[in-house]
Amino acid sequence: MKIFKFGGASVKDAESVKNVSMVLQSQGFAKCLLVISAMGKTTNELEKVVELYFKKDNYQTEIEKIKRKHIEIADGLFPENHAVFAEINVFFDDIDSFLRRNKSPNYSFVYDQVVSCGEMISTKILSEYLNEIQFTNQWLDARDYIKTDNSYREGAVDWAKTEGFIATLNPEICYVTQGFIGSDDNNFTVTLGREGSDYSAAIFAYCLNADAMTIWKDVPGVMTGDPRKFSDVTLLSHISYEEAIELAYYGASVIHPKTLQPLQQKAIPFYVKSFVDPTKEGTKVGASDHNQHEESYILKENQVLLKISTRDFSFIAEDHMSLIFGYLSKYKIKVSLMQNSAISLALCLEDKFDNVDEFNEELQKIFKTKAVKNVSLFTVRNAKMDHIDKFYQEKNVLLEQISKNTVQMVTQ
């Protein structure tokens, strides 16, 4: 079985949805499972709905605006009396109904119940359109198959249950399902983390022992840098799982960090290809004699640099480190880079859940801290050390770290 994942940009409007069918035609539409993201910027727009709801502001107008966009997309794909229009209305009525009934003050819980609707609607539209043009498929609710704990917005997969449910699928037919979402033991929706649709595809690939998994993007494949941020970047046509994991860990946006390990465990080849030109080779991630180790550039923006020291200038000892990392876990803050000296600890942090201020306040009860927000972490993989000076030009470097073949610097 083949797993194809299409992101929001590939289904952003009616023409894009039609293009998905052209991609499938070029690849052969048989024995495949499609994992689909929300359309265009729908996730961002639904996040705004949640924000307005908690501010007790007029979220209904925003829901109506998102609904109209989806109706317009459907208008470009279906005759006016098609059943899909009623389905779209039901999904948006469900959002409004949930928010009217909800009593939970848990932002992350409410977020997952609302924002997940973007994937539900996009997959229903695509599935119905493919059936309309004789690409026969079955629509699946991913929440019936991917089971997680109740860590809302960052669900941990229960692999045993998930494998059991996915094993019931028929590998001889085609399916359309959602990325980004699963459900807990109470069948409440749990999202797998922002940009988690790639991970969803890898979960299905692993559990179905897929022949291959392909992610369709608006770029030619995995590049030596984001072409929107760096000039003179080139395509990496073959890279190992290990190199791809390193790139994802350092923040390469084209690959979701959790995606690769399930694929590596079963040696499932992973392709990143362009939906603009599906005939191009793209990037193959997997075991190969031709794996490349080209100099690559990654920029992670919106980071926080936090410098921590003891109040009496004594050493940062193991008990201090244990306490600090306990708080990092509590506030769900990811460490992008760490550097310690005898009397201080510097952390470059990714604050997905806007908890860094609370984290800092907690630390200040015991430590002296200094936070610098809106910094960037610039990483060079496979750096050519003989011309390392060029990386420092026109940068205000607050922290740097150099290993055998990797240069990292926190810049302002």
Side-chain angles (χ1 to χ4, degrees):
M1 207 171 186
K2 295 174 291 188
I3 309 296
F4 293 147
K5 183 263 175 174
F6 290 90
S10 61
V11 288
K12 65 182 180 182
D13 52 32
E15 288 308 309
S16 300
V17 172
K18 291 175 183 176
N19 185 65
V20 169
S21 71
M22 301 298 287
V23 172
L24 295 174
Q25 198 165 21
S26 75
Q27 302 299 302
F29 189 71
K31 297 182 182 180
C32 64
L33 182 142
L34 311 187
V35 175
I36 311 297
S37 298
M39 293 176 149
K41 300 294 183 185
T42 302
T43 300
N44 294 348
E45 292 159 358
L46 287 168
E47 285 177 337
K48 187 177 176 184
V49 169
V50 178
E51 287 172 21
L52 291 169
Y53 169 77
F54 276 97
K55 288 177 181 174
K56 295 185 168 38
D57 207 337
N58 180 15
Y59 62 84
Q60 289 94 342
T61 301
E62 192 66 25
I63 293 174
E64 191 60 32
K65 197 190 308 179
I66 304 167
K67 176 178 163 182
R68 280 200 306 272
K69 280 188 184 177
H70 285 80
I71 297 278
E72 284 170 18
I73 292 171
D75 279 336
L77 298 170
F78 302 98
E80 63 181 35
N81 60 346
H82 196 281
V84 76
F85 292 99
E87 299 252 24
I88 293 169
N89 282 319
V90 167
F91 280 123
F92 283 101
D93 288 345
D94 284 348
I95 297 172
D96 189 48
S97 175
F98 166 76
L99 291 174
R100 287 178 189 278
R101 294 191 326 269
N102 175 63
K103 299 297 181 187
S104 173
N106 184 336
Y107 187 96
S108 293
F109 168 75
V110 174
Y111 177 101
D112 279 5
Q113 311 320 303
V114 172
V115 171
S116 57
C117 291
E119 277 70 18
M120 302 299 290
I121 299 161
S122 68
T123 52
K124 182 59 74 171
I125 290 172
L126 181 70
S127 174
E128 293 284 357
Y129 175 71
L130 292 177
N131 279 323
E132 189 85 357
I133 61 169
Q134 308 308 309
F135 280 21
T136 304
N137 72 90
Q138 185 176 325
W139 181 84
L140 296 182
D141 187 335
R143 298 172 298 185
D144 294 336
Y145 296 88
I146 296 179
K147 306 305 287 186
T148 72
D149 65 3
N150 62 357
S151 300
Y152 299 109
R153 294 179 72 188
E154 200 79 46
V157 174
D158 183 325
W159 284 93
K161 287 182 181 177
T162 298
E163 283 188 80
F165 285 120
I166 292 177
T168 64
L169 297 176
N170 180 354
E172 300 298 314
I173 65 176
C174 294
Y175 297 98
V176 173
T177 194
Q178 308 78 37
F180 182 52
I181 64 174
S183 68
D184 63 16
D185 286 342
N186 293 314
N187 292 321
F188 288 119
T189 306
V190 181
T191 63
L192 305 178
R194 203 69 159 80
E195 311 297 337
S197 292
D198 292 3
Y199 185 36
S200 298
I203 294 166
F204 279 105
Y206 177 91
C207 295
L208 289 165
N209 296 304
D211 290 338
M213 170 176 147
T214 305
I215 291 178
W216 297 94
K217 309 281 284 186
D218 56 357
V219 291
V222 179
M223 313 291 286
T224 53
D226 185 336
R228 294 165 296 188
K229 297 175 182 175
F230 301 99
S231 57
D232 303 322
V233 295
T234 57
L235 177 72
L236 293 165
S237 57
H238 293 83
I239 55 175
S240 64
Y241 292 112
E242 292 80 6
E243 181 65 15
I245 287 168
E246 292 280 2
L247 290 171
Y249 174 78
Y250 288 124
S253 59
V254 77
I255 307 170
H256 187 273
K258 293 180 182 176
T259 302
L260 292 148
Q261 286 176 337
L263 303 177
Q264 184 182 24
Q265 283 185 37
K266 290 193 175 178
I268 297 169
F270 169 43
Y271 298 89
V272 181
K273 299 183 75 172
S274 168
F275 61 74
V276 179
D277 191 349
T279 60
K280 293 281 178 68
E281 64 169 337
T283 299
K284 179 183 178 183
V285 178
S288 170
D289 296 332
H290 309 292
N291 286 332
Q292 296 164 278
H293 296 89
E294 301 293 329
E295 190 170 81
S296 302
Y297 317 103
I298 303 153
L299 189 66
K300 280 180 88 170
E301 297 173 308
N302 302 314
Q303 303 285 292
V304 178
L305 179 62
L306 189 66
K307 294 188 176 180
I308 306 164
S309 59
T310 56
R311 292 191 176 277
D312 59 1
F313 296 103
S314 60
F315 294 156
I316 294 279
E318 286 76 8
D319 56 339
H320 296 134
M321 298 283 270
S322 176
L323 185 67
I324 291 165
F325 276 83
Y327 286 141
L328 285 166
S329 175
K330 175 183 174 181
Y331 290 106
K332 298 183 178 180
I333 296 172
K334 181 185 172 190
V335 178
S336 301
L337 182 71
M338 177 177 74
Q339 190 175 95
N340 66 306
S341 66
I343 60 170
S344 69
L345 175 67
L347 301 174
C348 181
L349 304 172
E350 185 174 351
D351 181 29
K352 287 183 186 175
F353 301 105
D354 298 321
N355 289 333
V356 79
D357 289 334
E358 288 180 69
F359 169 64
N360 193 21
E361 283 173 22
E362 197 99 56
L363 290 182
Q364 285 175 344
K365 296 172 185 174
I366 305 165
F367 303 99
K368 288 174 65 177
T369 69
K370 182 184 177 184
V372 185
K373 295 186 177 180
N374 298 318
V375 299
S376 297
L377 176 61
F378 175 52
T379 302
V380 184
R381 280 284 296 163
N382 303 308
K384 295 180 175 66
M385 295 300 182
D386 54 348
H387 63 238
I388 195 172
D389 290 349
K390 73 174 186 178
F391 301 129
Y392 292 85
Q393 292 171 10
E394 299 177 8
K395 289 186 176 72
N396 178 21
V397 179
L398 306 177
L399 186 72
E400 63 179 318
Q401 198 160 282
I402 301 174
S403 62
K404 182 181 176 184
N405 66 349
T406 303
V407 177
Q408 291 191 282
M409 57 185 77
V410 178
T411 64
Q412 196 173 32

